[in-house]
Amino acid sequence: MIRAVFLAAATLVALAPLARAQSFDTPARAAYVLDHTTGTELLAKNADEPLPPASMSKLMTLYMAFEAIASGRLSIDQRLPVSEHAASYGGSSMFLDTTDRVRVEDLLRGVIVLSGNDASAVLAEALSPDGTEAGFARLMTERARDMGMENSTFANSNGWPAPNQRMSMRDLGILASHLIRDFPTFYPMFAEQEFEFDGRVPSNSQNRNPILGLGIGADGLKTGHTSEAGYGLVGSAAQDDRRVIFVITGLESTESRRVEAERIVNWSFRQFAQRDIGEAGTRIAEAEVWMGERNRVGLTLADDVSVLLPVMSNDDLAAEVVYQGPIEAPIEQGQELAELVIAREGMSETRVPLVAETAVARGGFMPRVKVAATVLFDRFGPEGVTLPGLDPLAEEPAPEPAAEPEAPAETEADET
């Protein structure tokens, strides 16, 4: 593993304020805070512990419903029947009954705004491989694994208490990031504060998200509460060019959930600032090449890169380029070859892909022979190189010395 230093390490004087800016304590049983814009983890408290997610697990049902709509397997105007099983759910509800046939768009709002357990079950049965909510729950678990959510298992579509209904706060953060990034046309539904379905229960028409409408940029995502889980929230807020995602659970009341959610949003935006590192295409370093027409290739940023820094820091960064090398040719332009690892004291690393600046073709016969000779020379010394006429340290083989012309033979002059 080759590690090349790119930027000077931060001084000890700079590290102290970095650590202080990062400190944040929350009464939540578990919490996870992510700067969605830069991918920087700001806070992780018991973030990988599988816990009862309550209604926050409805986000997985919504994600799979959005996928089905995007693929054409489901239409927002399609009307779905309500089974006895779906109608039997209590708790937060759309108050559906078996005589209803409900538009998918209304069911989506019923899940997002009203947190309808019955609405989740209707969507689940429509998308289940065997027509049951349990079958859909198995599919949810498989899909979660595909998305990198390693600490999530599902027994139902809506978070109804069950021993096998578990999610970690980090997994919920991953899911929220996917919802925001993958379905920008559906995401604005999470900011809707009211949905009066059919006018049947006016008292159950308000979004339970406590930070919508506070003027802090909050626009999602989902609350949750059971006696086992406590009060929780998967939230997101955007200010200027930054977006923050946070997940909290295990709080004691709706009021403590509201206070803690607003406190996290304010801390995330006020205590950290974004700093641009470079634009896509900026050359960061070079990597050694094996068996190529050239022995080095430039490494450039694949995308525009920004990092997050505590506002009290002096902006010093420590970074290094990491790759497995030398890299064997051929190499394509834009091929990912390395990572730029940016470190800040008290914060998680940021790992940025670096790509080949140009293509490098595989070398011809003589360049490959030169490379092999150089390797032998480096490993065994001059005695290991036995290729006649080839100096592994020379750019070209040394030419043979030219032969001197022979002097003409002397002859006696003819007598006349």
Side-chain angles (χ1 to χ4, degrees):
M1 184 75 74
I2 296 175
R3 306 177 76 87
V5 174
F6 166 53
L7 297 173
T11 65
L12 291 176
V13 174
L15 299 184
L18 283 167
R20 286 198 298 270
Q22 172 62 5
S23 61
F24 183 87
D25 190 27
T26 174
R29 175 179 174 180
Y32 181 69
V33 184
L34 176 74
D35 185 84
H36 179 74
T37 307
T38 62
T40 306
E41 178 183 299
L42 303 182
L43 176 69
K45 176 182 178 180
N46 301 325
D48 296 310
E49 181 182 353
L51 295 169
S55 287
M56 296 186 292
S57 61
K58 290 184 174 82
L59 292 176
M60 191 68 201
T61 297
L62 289 166
Y63 186 87
M64 295 178 69
F66 293 157
E67 279 191 322
I69 294 169
S71 68
R73 293 182 291 119
L74 197 65
S75 166
I76 59 172
D77 294 320
Q78 187 175 347
R79 291 184 176 272
L80 300 180
V82 179
S83 69
E84 290 185 3
H85 170 72
S88 69
Y89 272 111
S92 55
S93 172
M94 285 182 71
F95 298 94
L96 303 176
D97 61 51
T98 56
T99 66
D100 289 316
R101 296 187 67 86
V102 190
R103 291 175 67 245
V104 168
E105 187 172 6
D106 288 337
L107 290 168
L108 294 175
R109 285 190 166 87
V111 176
I112 294 170
V113 181
L114 308 182
S115 195
N117 294 321
D118 48 1
S120 293
V122 172
L123 289 169
E125 290 172 345
L127 296 174
S128 172
D130 62 5
T132 69
E133 186 183 18
F136 181 73
R138 290 190 291 272
L139 201 62
M140 291 170 73
T141 302
E142 294 173 7
R143 187 69 183 96
R145 293 290 186 275
D146 293 340
M147 296 168 66
M149 292 183 275
E150 299 296 330
N151 295 300
S152 296
T153 57
F154 300 92
N156 54 60
S157 64
N158 50 31
W160 195 261
N164 293 327
Q165 189 84 6
R166 294 289 184 268
M167 296 186 76
S168 71
M169 299 307 100
R170 189 187 306 275
D171 283 0
L172 280 163
I174 291 171
L175 180 54
S177 292
H178 275 286
L179 283 163
I180 294 167
R181 181 173 58 249
D182 298 348
F183 298 109
T185 57
F186 288 116
Y187 183 69
M189 297 173 73
F190 289 95
E192 296 178 9
Q193 298 185 51
E194 185 176 21
F195 175 55
E196 294 184 355
F197 171 67
D198 208 16
R200 63 179 64 182
V201 186
S203 61
N204 186 48
S205 62
Q206 303 300 309
N207 195 319
R208 293 164 173 79
N209 190 332
I211 59 173
L212 296 179
L214 292 184
I216 57 175
D219 56 9
L221 294 157
K222 188 75 191 71
T223 58
H225 169 253
T226 65
S227 57
E228 181 187 17
Y231 290 87
L233 174 64
V234 181
S236 184
Q239 295 183 16
D240 298 325
D241 295 328
R242 284 182 58 202
R243 174 175 289 280
V244 169
I245 292 169
F246 66 93
V247 190
I248 49 177
T249 193
L251 292 160
E252 296 181 352
S253 66
T254 56
E255 178 63 12
S256 62
R257 176 174 63 188
R258 181 196 65 78
V259 169
E260 192 61 14
E262 185 174 6
R263 196 167 76 97
I264 286 175
V265 170
N266 289 334
W267 170 76
S268 300
F269 285 114
R270 292 174 183 171
Q271 296 302 317
F272 298 91
Q274 190 172 332
R275 171 181 167 185
D276 294 333
I277 295 297
E279 298 180 349
T282 301
R283 178 188 275 221
I284 300 299
E286 290 185 333
E288 296 179 358
V289 176
W290 167 262
M291 293 294 186
E293 62 180 4
R294 297 194 309 276
N295 61 6
R296 303 187 73 80
V297 63
L299 299 174
T300 65
L301 296 174
D303 301 296
D304 296 347
V305 175
S306 298
V307 297
L308 212 61
L309 291 172
V311 294
M312 297 299 293
S313 76
N314 63 2
D315 285 4
D316 284 344
L317 295 172
E320 57 187 359
V321 174
V322 181
Y323 68 98
Q324 293 278 3
I327 301 166
E328 185 173 358
I331 297 170
E332 296 180 2
Q333 184 178 14
Q335 179 180 338
E336 186 172 330
L337 301 177
E339 283 186 316
L340 177 64
V341 183
I342 303 170
R344 294 141 295 176
E345 183 71 14
M347 298 179 67
S348 61
E349 289 181 340
T350 297
R351 306 183 78 90
V352 178
L354 298 177
V355 300
E357 184 175 33
T358 58
V360 180
R362 192 166 178 82
F365 174 74
M366 286 308 297
R368 294 202 302 272
V369 170
K370 288 181 184 180
V371 170
T374 302
V375 171
L376 289 172
F377 186 89
D378 291 340
R379 184 170 298 178
F380 302 112
E383 295 80 3
V385 181
T386 58
L387 301 175
L390 183 64
D391 178 0
L393 301 182
E395 288 298 320
E396 298 293 343
E400 294 288 340
E404 295 184 3
E406 296 181 2
E410 292 184 0
T411 59
E412 292 184 358
D414 290 338
E415 291 182 3
T416 58

